[in-house]
Amino acid sequence: MAGGPAGAGGAAGAGGAARVVLDAMGGDHGPAATVPGALAARREHAVHVLLVGRADEIDEELRRHGGVGELEVQHADDVIPMAERGSNAAFQSKSSLMVGCELARREGAAFVSAGSTGAVVTCAVRAFGRREGVLRPALAVALPALSGFTVLVDAGGTADPSAEMVAQFATLGAEYARSVLGVADPSVGLLSIGAEPGKGNRLVRDAARLLPETPVRFHGNVEGHDVLAGTVDVVVTDGFTGNVVLKNIEGCVRTTLGLVARAGTVDAGPLEAVARLYAADTHGGAALLGLTGTVVVAHGSSSAAAVTRACVVARDLAAEGQWATGPGP
């Protein structure tokens, strides 16, 4: 999620929506970021957060931030390392990630983790299960564009999908744009190296043949410069390419605005406002589409502010309800 779309369900969430289960050990900074982030989500946004992880480390951070007794804590012995690609994560049943996913499923709560994306996806699929007909889940991020937002999907969930999966990602992304962003009839573009039909690698060409048969308004191929131009409402690609695109955008925004600021031609205030639109502290993370529950994957390097935002996003997405639990594509 980026910028403002998560707010679509904000009022309902604040009024008593299911709580958020947070993997307190996930991410590069662990409890040092997740605990203050969860406390801020509770204090500033009325999000009911339950922390899962090593209780002694969590309690130490709660004391440090004056939050003893303020949040629920569920102990979990193990921590899945950030280097874990995912294949073994679901078998570590005592990890904060797996315990958290199972707890969220049982209680109908949303789940948030800044842990290894592959591990989060693996554990979430095992705990929540895929929606009927969904081959693989996909990560969706709503990026500020020249007009509204553009949904980028898959942003890192499945690095090597089949063409059938990519076509299904388009359906999931369009559904997300309708339900969360309020786009009545979203257009979908397939990311390629040229807008002309037939351009792209084998995966893109095969997906392009399938997309006209899906229940989406298929625009055709789009290129990298179209992602933020508002050319289409949804840009669909494989998870490897999508993650590279996302991080390239984040880096380009920081670098470009830094160069403009160095030139001294524009006041720093407006530049900082633009930079924040694309920062993890603002968008909070990506929604994992195609499951029977709400899962948000935060950036591995998430700060406390980014964790706070991810918790708010998860709460608001859970309030939407239908997009996460409705019939499969």
Side-chain angles (χ1 to χ4, degrees):
M1 299 288 305
R19 61 183 169 179
V20 172
V21 174
L22 174 63
D23 171 16
M25 313 307 294
D28 296 336
H29 309 297
T34 57
V35 172
L39 285 169
R42 176 66 172 175
R43 294 167 177 172
E44 300 170 15
H45 304 280
V47 182
H48 186 176
V49 183
L50 186 154
L51 297 164
V52 180
R54 291 173 176 164
D56 55 345
E57 297 182 34
I58 295 172
D59 289 342
E60 180 180 350
E61 288 297 327
L62 286 171
R63 286 192 295 273
R64 189 191 311 275
H65 296 279
V68 174
E70 200 167 331
L71 299 175
E72 295 181 71
V73 177
Q74 173 66 54
H75 178 72
D77 291 320
D78 299 332
V79 177
I80 293 179
M82 292 297 289
E84 171 61 55
R85 295 181 60 189
S87 57
N88 297 317
F91 298 103
Q92 300 182 45
S93 60
K94 295 183 179 181
S95 71
S96 59
L97 184 49
M98 198 66 227
V99 170
C101 282
E102 292 285 1
L103 182 60
R105 177 189 60 79
R106 289 196 304 270
E107 299 197 2
F111 179 72
V112 174
S113 178
S116 160
T117 298
V120 177
V121 172
T122 298
C123 292
V125 168
R126 178 166 181 176
F128 291 97
R130 295 187 295 269
R131 289 164 46 186
E132 183 178 354
V134 171
L135 299 171
R136 292 290 293 271
L139 287 170
V141 177
L143 297 168
L146 287 178
S147 58
F149 292 86
T150 299
V151 177
L152 176 66
V153 61
D154 182 17
T158 303
D160 294 299
S162 64
E164 290 78 12
M165 291 174 187
V166 171
Q168 195 171 77
F169 296 164
T171 303
L172 291 169
E175 181 185 84
Y176 182 85
R178 282 192 297 271
S179 299
V180 177
L181 302 182
V183 181
D185 185 22
S187 58
V188 177
L190 177 64
L191 190 61
S192 186
I193 57 173
E196 301 84 359
K199 285 291 185 72
N201 59 15
R202 181 178 300 174
L203 174 64
V204 170
R205 295 195 304 271
D206 289 347
R209 285 192 286 269
L210 296 175
L211 278 163
E213 306 302 320
T214 63
V216 302
R217 182 159 64 91
F218 182 46
H219 169 89
N221 288 355
V222 294
E223 299 181 65
H225 58 75
D226 291 308
V227 175
L228 300 184
T231 305
V232 292
D233 301 300
V234 179
V235 172
V236 64
T237 185
D238 63 275
F240 179 88
T241 303
N243 195 262
V244 171
V245 168
L246 176 62
K247 291 175 180 176
N248 184 58
I249 288 172
E250 293 172 346
C252 282
V253 168
R254 288 195 301 270
T255 301
T256 301
L257 295 182
L259 291 172
V260 173
R262 184 186 301 174
T265 57
V266 180
D267 290 340
L271 295 178
E272 292 173 358
V274 173
R276 281 197 297 273
L277 293 175
Y278 297 91
D281 289 2
T282 300
H283 64 67
L288 187 58
L289 308 182
L291 302 179
T292 63
T294 301
V295 176
V296 170
V297 182
H299 199 290
S301 61
S302 289
S303 64
V307 171
T308 298
R309 183 61 185 159
C311 290
V312 173
V313 166
R315 188 271 311 275
D316 291 351
L317 288 175
E320 288 294 323
Q322 292 182 353
W323 74 270
T325 59

